[in-house]
Amino acid sequence: MLSRSYRSIVPAVVLATAVVTASTVLPASAATTKKPSPDPAAQHSIRGGVSNQNFYFVMADRFNNGTKANDDGGLGPDPMVSGYDPTRKGFYNGGDLKGLQDRLDYIQGLGTNALWLTPSFKNKAVQGGGELDNSSAGYHGYWVTDFTQIDPHLGTNAELKTLIEAAHARGIKVYFDIITNHTADVIQYQESESALYVSKESEPYRTAAGEAFDDHDYAGTQDFPALDPATSFPYTPVVPETEKDVKVPAWLNDPTLYHNRGNTTFSGEDALYGDFFGLDDLFTENPRVVNGFVDVYKSWIRDFGIDGFRIDTMKHVNDEFWQQFGPQVLSYAKEQGKDEFFMFGEVFDTSKSVTSKFTTRNKMQAVLDFGFQGAARSFASQSSKASGLAEFFNGDDWYTDADSNAYQLPTFLGNHDMGRIGTFIAQDNAGASDAELVERHELAHELMYFSRGNPVVYYGDEQGFTGAGGDQDSRQSMFASKVQEYLDDDLLGTSATHATDNFDTGHPLYKKISELAALTAEHPTLRSGAQQNRYAADGPGIYAFSRIDAKEQREYVVAVNNSESAQTAEIPTYEAKQPFNLVYGDAAADAKTDTQAKLTVTVPPLSTVVYQAAGRLAQSKAAPGVVLKKPVTAAGDPSRLKVAADVDGKSFYEVTFQARTAGGEWQSIGTDDNAPYQVFHDVSSLESGASVEYRAVVLDNRGQTSASEPRSGVVGEPVQPETVTVADSLNTELGCTEDWQPSCEQASMTYEPTHRLWQLNVPNLPAGTYEFKAAINGSWDENYGAGGVLNGPNVVFTHSGGAVTFLYDHATNLITAAVAGQQPAAVSVPGSLNSELGCAGDWMPDCPQAQLALDPADGIWKLAVPDLPAGNYEFKAAINGSWAENYGLGGAANGSNIALKHDGGAVTFRYDPASHLLTTR
């Protein structure tokens, strides 16, 4: 045990450490006078796939009716047979491919160069309860029976080919929405009509010979055991005689090619193996399914010239499927002359550590950026802190690997499932004028068009469509509607209603989107240039970022303002005394950076301005030095190592990271073109404990390079210590006998295995300035200070008094103190357990039974559940009864779901407003 005199020892240790660190910041090569040969490892940040697409996402049945001859799909007048009823929002309304082709002028006028169609394959016309009021039709395209032909309600294969040719003639690519997860509901279960999911643990799959096996052992291979529908599954699949051959290709009619485990609850294992509302969930681990779908979608590329695929429900298909499907389809497309063929998947999650897995580990090109949708709505519609956007874009490096990055992600503001941006804006700003709602709508689109990614306009948004919510309530027709629910909608920016056609090219939102597309075509740097965070207000106000093309070397500054008043900011840039010219927005026509390279910009309320530098960046005199930081396990994903580098310079640089294992060659793992320079290396294929060596090579804007010294990281989550103590000058305030006491029980932290964080909540710490470190296993032998440095300097913390939460992450060795702001009005635990709590459904942030109560004794929100049934659950913390503010794993805003495997019985949910951690006890 150390005495109080340790407090006087700490500064000396810190000073010595600082001197050593300062002497090793830059490699000697940074100061050399002779220009060295460029390091061949240095690369430009790639723009793989595409980074210049303006998507228009359209549901063909709801766009334009080119001919009434196909309205009922040739199935007759009965809506329960044909699925056609133009008075019902859940049935076919009459739009078709010919109608799309007839309106290509309108679509092209928006600046569209990529037309994305919802699934257009032949669907089961009607599914549901057997009555008109409890059934719906396959107008959306997600109940496929025939993957080889166009649904007759929409037209013919020949009409699709004609549409594609007409679009190509205008320079518009055509993207198909495709499905691999499920087909229409054809298979029934002999044992039950409402089949609850049966886990693999309780009922494993069995071979035709009756031997239990794990399908995951075969996923990704060309081997799979023979199965028998009578004995291999927990439910016995039964196909009605009239539908035994309804699916095309014929292999889809084999019931052993489906999971047959019952209905999904969208969490845990059943998210991969369960039936979506009864839809037949394909056995995508079986190579027959993989190979069958590869062949199906190759034919659409070969025979119709499709330019790319949006892939439905990607999150619900096993990783090994994508690792085979993506590379094979992309390679085939290139053989067919489709060099820019592009695929992106739907992964309905806002956590980048989760969504990026599909573009890195799973070898797909891109995913829809659900995180952007949430961040854009929060900024433009809810006037949240501008710093939230900076934090969001700072996470883009999760997507960076050797052949992809965030620049090719399709970004969007709303869609056919969650609802329209117009709906969100109207809901978030009740009572606001139509003019304000239109301004916010335009602001959201300005952010989407000027920031990285490929913008997606959901059909009708350009006409101010709103609606009551998502799904059927966000699928209005562009042609005159007979659906009463749609006729009640209030459209933004117009006095028009859904009772008439809405193809008004003079609508303010149509004109704005056209203007944005034209501007980015004139200034392509705004579409594909490197993006660098520059400035963000700590409240409503300006968020500013730079875009710069590696070749042109001309900086653009974009400033968006979500405040209802004009705002002024001094925005950092790359170069001092540089003149800038206004290219967009209502602001001074000319500006110039000061001696500190800052550009003073005033942005009107709810508006955007864009400036372009008059000249190119000055070329670097010499490549800057670069130093690798310690590679550490990435917070949020222990299967990745975070590899970061410090660069000694302030100009435009690109940093390529390389890795190698023992005896291996250096391999590029990604190039980052904006600070902070980092990648999140996927090491899931390596054994835990394996050593990986890294290096970084910086490329400056003159083609000069500089390399770091190599540094090693270790694969796998670190072994957690037995104890972690907040050892500090506040120990006596916590009840310890003395300060700086590493073994004091009152200062011991609690490990939260779900979040992989150590936590200590102090309900009422007196005001004052404190210093602290993390002491490991009750002694000073291993301790971490500021920046997670071993034996590093004390962390200094000034506290105004009240509750504080200390957090320690053993993956990074960082220890921090978090203080809650104003307590929220309400905290709830929406998740897959809500129905067990008595809610009307799951994932309900406003459900009364899911609300936590504030415990004034310790400032923690709590919900005690006396008897939660056994099961695998997922949940998050929702603030103030909505999804507008929510926290997931690790306390991350809009983070991934928190998982709980519960054995049954009592459980208490605890939410800490300082750390935003939601834990269970």
Side-chain angles (χ1 to χ4, degrees), residues 79-81 83 90-91 123-140 143 183-188 193-194 243 276-280 472:
M80 286 301 296
V81 176
F91 280 69
N123 266 230
K124 190 170 185 177
V126 180
Q127 292 186 177
E131 302 292 336
L132 199 59
D133 288 339
N134 60 13
S135 299
S136 60
Y139 68 94
H140 41 66
W143 301 341
T183 69
D185 183 13
V186 172
I187 295 174
Q188 309 302 313
E193 290 185 6
S194 56
E243 295 185 303
F276 278 34
F277 307 105
L279 297 172
D280 301 345
Q472 294 179 6

Side-chain angles (χ1 to χ4, degrees), residues 785-833:
V789 176
L790 181 66
N791 296 317
N794 302 336
V795 181
V796 180
F797 170 54
T798 300
H799 186 47
S800 59
V804 60
T805 298
F806 293 90
L807 295 172
Y808 172 74
D809 183 354
H810 199 54
T812 61
N813 306 128
L814 290 173
I815 184 169
T816 57
V819 179
Q822 183 178 356
Q823 286 281 8
V827 178
S828 61
V829 54
S832 61
L833 51 86

Side-chain angles (χ1 to χ4, degrees), residues 831-854:
S832 61
L833 51 86
N834 285 168
S835 55
E836 283 80 0
L837 301 182
C839 304
D842 287 335
W843 298 101
M844 296 182 64
D846 56 350
C847 171
Q849 293 91 332
Q851 303 299 312
L852 284 69
L854 177 63

Side-chain angles (χ1 to χ4, degrees), residues 668-724:
S668 172
I669 57 172
T671 299
D672 192 8
D673 59 11
N674 57 72
Y677 301 101
Q678 58 189 3
V679 293
F680 293 84
H681 184 212
D682 188 331
V683 290
S684 58
S685 62
L686 301 177
E687 293 290 335
S688 180
S691 178
V692 185
E693 193 174 20
Y694 295 97
R695 71 191 290 262
V697 182
V698 62
L699 174 68
D700 71 7
N701 66 349
R702 197 180 180 185
Q704 302 168 122
T705 63
S706 176
S708 74
E709 293 296 324
R711 196 163 185 180
S712 294
V714 178
V715 175
E717 185 180 355
V719 177
Q720 295 294 337
E722 293 183 7
T723 65
V724 178

Side-chain angles (χ1 to χ4, degrees), residues 197-340:
Y197 184 79
V198 178
S199 71
K200 294 201 298 179
E201 181 179 7
S202 59
E203 288 287 346
Y205 285 115
R206 297 184 181 277
T207 67
E211 297 178 0
F213 74 98
D214 186 352
D215 60 287
H216 194 263
D217 293 339
Y218 298 90
T221 74
Q222 289 299 308
D223 295 321
F224 209 80
L227 305 180
D228 184 334
T231 59
S232 294
F233 305 95
Y235 289 108
T236 306
V238 177
V239 179
E241 190 65 32
T242 56
E243 295 185 303
K244 287 205 172 195
D245 299 314
V246 73
K247 296 180 184 178
V248 181
W251 60 266
L252 289 164
N253 294 305
D254 182 350
T256 69
L257 296 180
Y258 297 84
H259 282 132
N260 299 321
R261 289 198 161 274
N263 291 320
T264 183
T265 64
F266 300 96
S267 65
E269 173 191 296
D270 67 57
L272 289 173
Y273 289 86
D275 298 338
F276 278 34
F277 307 105
L279 297 172
D280 301 345
D281 200 71
L282 281 150
F283 215 143
T284 47
E285 293 79 8
N286 192 319
R288 285 183 62 197
V289 176
V290 181
N291 299 335
F293 271 131
V294 167
D295 290 342
V296 163
Y297 293 121
K298 279 182 178 180
S299 69
W300 287 98
I301 300 170
R302 179 186 65 241
D303 298 338
F304 295 88
I306 292 290
D307 298 292
F309 295 141
R310 178 269 193 185
I311 305 170
D312 182 59
T313 52
M314 179 179 276
K315 181 180 180 180
H316 302 284
V317 174
N318 59 296
D319 294 347
E320 297 85 358
F321 179 94
W322 303 121
Q323 291 164 6
Q324 297 174 85
F325 180 89
Q328 288 187 55
V329 171
L330 183 60
S331 176
Y332 181 80
K334 291 184 176 180
E335 290 173 11
Q336 301 299 307
K338 294 286 182 180
D339 291 337
E340 291 190 339

Side-chain angles (χ1 to χ4, degrees), residues 56-58 62-64 99-113 115 170 172 420 457-465 477-479 491 501-511 513-514:
Y56 189 67
F57 173 35
V58 62
R62 302 301 169 90
F63 189 70
N64 189 41
L100 269 173
Q101 185 171 340
D102 290 345
R103 293 287 185 177
L104 284 178
D105 280 346
Y106 172 88
I107 294 170
Q108 187 176 23
L110 274 172
T112 302
N113 58 12
L115 178 61
R170 296 167 177 264
I172 299 175
R420 295 182 177 277
V457 174
Y458 180 40
Y459 84 96
D461 283 358
E462 76 279 7
Q463 296 295 329
F465 283 13
S477 59
M478 297 283 284
F479 56 91
L491 281 65
D501 289 357
N502 282 280
F503 295 98
D504 179 12
T505 57
H507 191 289
L509 292 172
Y510 183 98
K511 292 170 65 177
I513 293 170
S514 300

